Amino acid sequence: CIPLWESSKEKQGVGVAMRSNAVLLLVLCLAGCAQARASPPSGCRSMSCFSGTTIAPEVALEEGPSKDVELIGHRDSVSDCEDSCLRFITLYSWRRCASFVWHSAPPGGRGGECYAVLDDRNMTGAVARFDATSGVRGASWSDHLSHVAALAAHAASRGAEAARGAWGRVSEGAE
């Protein structure tokens, strides 16, 4: 076993930071493994589904989906979107749906939007989005790790924003 910290007094601060980072990495890895071994969320049967992340962040932008992402339609569930993706072929180019993104419907709205992703994306470029679920064919361990990393980065940025806001309130009160 390789020690993660030094025992000397000078390096003790670095050792504490390294232990903290090692513990955080271990927790993230265990969470990723648990996610990978858990039953698929929301009923995905053929693909690996990742809740809380999107592999097609461009659909939320003003210009809409790119040439590699097409709106299939409104679907009531992730499994309905997955089924539509498996049957989807674009007209004229005859490209098949390689993966999908489903955005849940707003409260009181009709079914969520289902998008076909036509290129060979994986979870490496995933972006956290609470109302999205991405479905990928043949997901690897790196896809699961990328999913956990995207969620952790989002949580860390939200925590940093909250800390900045709290620090601002504290520093204003100190004046």
Side-chain angles (χ1 to χ4, degrees), residues 80-154:
D80 289 346
C81 185
E82 177 191 32
D83 291 341
S84 295
C85 174
L86 293 171
R87 293 188 308 267
F88 185 81
I89 299 175
T90 60
L91 292 176
Y92 309 114
S93 68
W94 303 107
R95 294 171 68 192
R96 296 192 70 82
C97 178
S99 51
F100 71 89
V101 176
W102 182 75
H103 294 274
S104 59
R110 61 185 197 167
E113 293 178 330
C114 179
Y115 292 91
V117 178
L118 305 174
D119 57 9
D120 60 351
R121 297 180 196 192
N122 56 28
M123 293 302 294
T124 304
V127 176
R129 183 167 169 165
F130 75 95
D131 66 339
T133 300
S134 296
V136 178
R137 295 178 198 247
S140 67
W141 66 269
S142 64
D143 290 319
H144 291 280
L145 192 58
S146 295
H147 175 244
V148 172
L151 294 177
H154 180 68

Side-chain angles (χ1 to χ4, degrees), residues 42-55:
S42 308
C44 288
R45 293 178 289 278
S46 299
M47 297 185 183
S48 296
C49 288
F50 300 91
S51 296
T53 52
T54 178
I55 57 172

